Amino acid sequence: MAFGPGLMLAVFFLVPFGIMLLVSVAEAVKGGAYNLVFDGSHYARFFTPFFGRVLAFSILIALLTACICITVGFPFTYALTRFGHRTQVVWLVFILAVLSLSEVIIGFSWSILLSRTAGISNLLVWLGLMSEPVAWYPGLVALLCGLTYLGLPYTVLILYPPLSRLDPELPEAARMLGASPLRSFFTVVVPAMRPAIVATVIMLFVFTLGAYLLPQVLGRPQHWTLSVLITDQAIFQSNLPFAAAMAIFLMVVSLALVVVTSRLNRRAMGSP
Amino acid sequence: MAELSLEGIGKRFGAITAVTDVTLDIPSGDLVCLLGPSGCGKTTLLRLIAGLDAPSEGRILLDGEDITAVPAHQRNFGMVFQSLALFPHLSVADNISYGLRVRGVAAAARRKRAEALLELVRLPGIADRHVAQLSGGQRQRVAIARALALEPKIFLLDEPMSALDAKLREAMQVELSQLQRRLGITTVVVTHDQREAMTMADTIVVIGANRVQQVGAPLDIYRRPRNSFVADFIGSINLLPGVVSGPAEATVGDTQLRVLEVGDGVGEGDRALIAVRPEDVHLLSTDERRDNTLSGTVSYVRDLGSQVETHVDCGGETVVSVSAPKDRPAVAVADAVRVELPMAACRALAP
C-alpha cells in the first residue's frame, strides 16, 4: 500500500511522459509513423520568429483570460459566500451545470451570440443603442469571451472553499478602523486571500494554455495558440514527433512560469 | 469622553427577534458588561452599537447626538472581535496602525504610535513580528492595541477572553480593567462569564431571552437580583418554590418564612421562588430554635478545601449551604439538621 501512490504516478504519468519524450526526439516518417532515433531538429524549429510569436500570444491570452476570470470571479464568489445557504446552493449547482457543457457547444454558442446576423448587436440595434449590427466574431473579443466563459466556473469553484472559510470579522474589523466597505475589501479581503488568488490564477493560466478548440472556433488564424498547432501537427499533419516536442516545450515553459510565480508569492508573503 | 444612550433598541432577523426593547444609558468613562447566556442577543446588541448591523427600531445616541444612521467606519468606535480578527497579511505594527493608514497618517508617525501602543499593552519589541507567530495572549493584546490606536470614543469588546486559558483570562481581566480605568474610555464588554463581569464592570447589564433583565452595579445585582433568571445566572443560589403569603412573608411547604422583599411582578397568593445564596444559609442542630428555619436531612457533603458545601434535603427540595473551612459544620450524610435562611438574605422572586 505504501508505494501505491508512487506506482499510480509512474503508470499514469511518468510512463506516458517518457513515451512522449522518446517520440519528441524521433524521426518523422511519411504516413504518421516515426523511427525511434535521436533527432533534435524538432526542438530547433522553435527558435524561429513564427514560433516566438505563437508562444508569446499563447502565454498572453492565457494570462489575460486568467486575469479577467479572477477580476470577475473573485468579487462574485465573495458576494456568493455572503448570501443565504439556499441561494449559495442554487448558484453552485448552476455553475456545476455549466461545467458539463462541452467546449464545442460553448464555442458555437458564442459564435452565434457575437455574429452579425443573429448576435446580440441586433438586440442593441433594436434598443436603439447601435445604428447597425456588427460582427464581433471571429476575433480576439470573441476568443476572450469564450475562454472566460470556460474558465469562470473553475474560478468560482476553486475560490469558494477559502472564501467561505474567511473570517467575516476581518472586513468588519477594517470597517471599525475607519475603512469603507470597498476599501476594506481591497485592503483586507483581497490581501488575506492572496495565496488562494495566486493559486487560482496559475490554475486558470495552465487550463487556458491547453485550450485548442476555442481559438479555432472563435479566433482568426493569427489567434491560434500553441495548443492548436500541436493538435494540427499531431492529427492533420501526422507529425507526431514534432507535436510531442511542442507539447513538452509548452509544458516546460508553463512549469517555469508557475514556479517563478509561486516563488515570488512566497517571498511577498514573508512567512513559511 | 463620551456618553452612550440606547433608546428602545430592537433587532429582528426576518421572523426572529434577536433583541428587543433595550433602553440603556452608559455614563462617560464607565465599563459596562453585557452579560447573558449564549444566544440571548448580547452580541447583536454590541454589533448594533458598533454600527455593523442596523437596528430594526430605536435610536442610538452619542453625547446626545443621534448616530443610528452613521455607518460603522464613520463612528470612530474601537472594537475587539471574538475571533480577534487580526489581519493575517500584515505585521503586528501594520495591524495596529491600519486605522492610521486609512486616515493617511505618515509612515514614521504610524510606526511611533504602534510602538507606543505596544508599550501600553506591555508587549514592547514585537512590532515586526508576523501575526501567525504570536501566542494567544499576545494576539489578544495586539487586538486591544489596534482597537485603541485611533483613540476611539467608545471601546467595544466581544467575548475578548474566550480564546485564552483560565489562568491567563483572569490576569487579562484585571489588566484590561486597569487599562480602561487609566484611559477613562467608555467601554462595553460582551461576556457570558459572570466572574469576568464581576471583575471588570462598573455596571452589569444582564440580558436573557432577548431583553434586558436587570441593570446595576455588580454587587447590587448579586445581592438584589430582580428575578429568578438573574438570581440563577449570577453566582449560585437556592431557589425554593413557595407561595407569597404576606407583604414580607412566604410559605415553603408548610413553613412560614419571613423575606426581606418580594420581587417585581409577584403579589400575595402568587407562586414564587424563595432565593437565598448558599453562603447565607446556616446549618443548625435540630434542638436549636430560631426563626426562618427548615428541617431536613444532610444528603451530601463536599469539601473543596477553600470551602465546604453541604446539601440538605428539606422535604424534596435541596438547600445548599456553603461555609468556610473553619466553620465546617460537624455533620455527616443522613444527619437530621435545621437550615436557617436568614430573613435579610431571602427574596421572593417571580418564577
Side-chain angles (χ1 to χ4, degrees), chain B residues 86-103:
Chain B
L86 295 178
F87 304 135
H89 60 291
L90 296 179
S91 70
V92 168
D94 288 344
N95 256 283
I96 294 173
S97 59
Y98 177 89
L100 296 164
R101 189 164 172 189
V102 170
R103 253 151 241 228

Side-chain angles (χ1 to χ4, degrees), chain A residues 97-181:
Chain A
V98 169
L99 278 184
S100 71
L101 298 176
S102 88
E103 219 177 313
V104 180
I105 292 177
I106 291 172
F108 283 109
S109 304
W110 276 102
S111 70
I112 293 167
L113 212 57
L114 297 175
S115 69
R116 190 173 57 82
T117 45
I120 42 171
S121 61
N122 293 280
L123 192 69
L124 295 176
V125 170
W126 184 74
L127 286 169
L129 295 169
M130 282 171 71
S131 55
E132 56 182 38
V134 199
W136 284 312
Y137 147 83
L140 197 59
V141 175
L143 179 54
L144 277 174
C145 284
L147 289 174
T148 304
Y149 189 85
L150 204 62
L152 211 48
Y154 292 101
T155 316
V156 175
L157 292 175
I158 299 172
L159 286 175
Y160 182 78
L163 267 173
S164 46
R165 277 197 305 270
L166 178 76
D167 180 2
E169 291 186 340
L170 276 180
E172 287 177 351
R175 293 198 59 205
M176 291 310 291
L177 293 165
S180 64

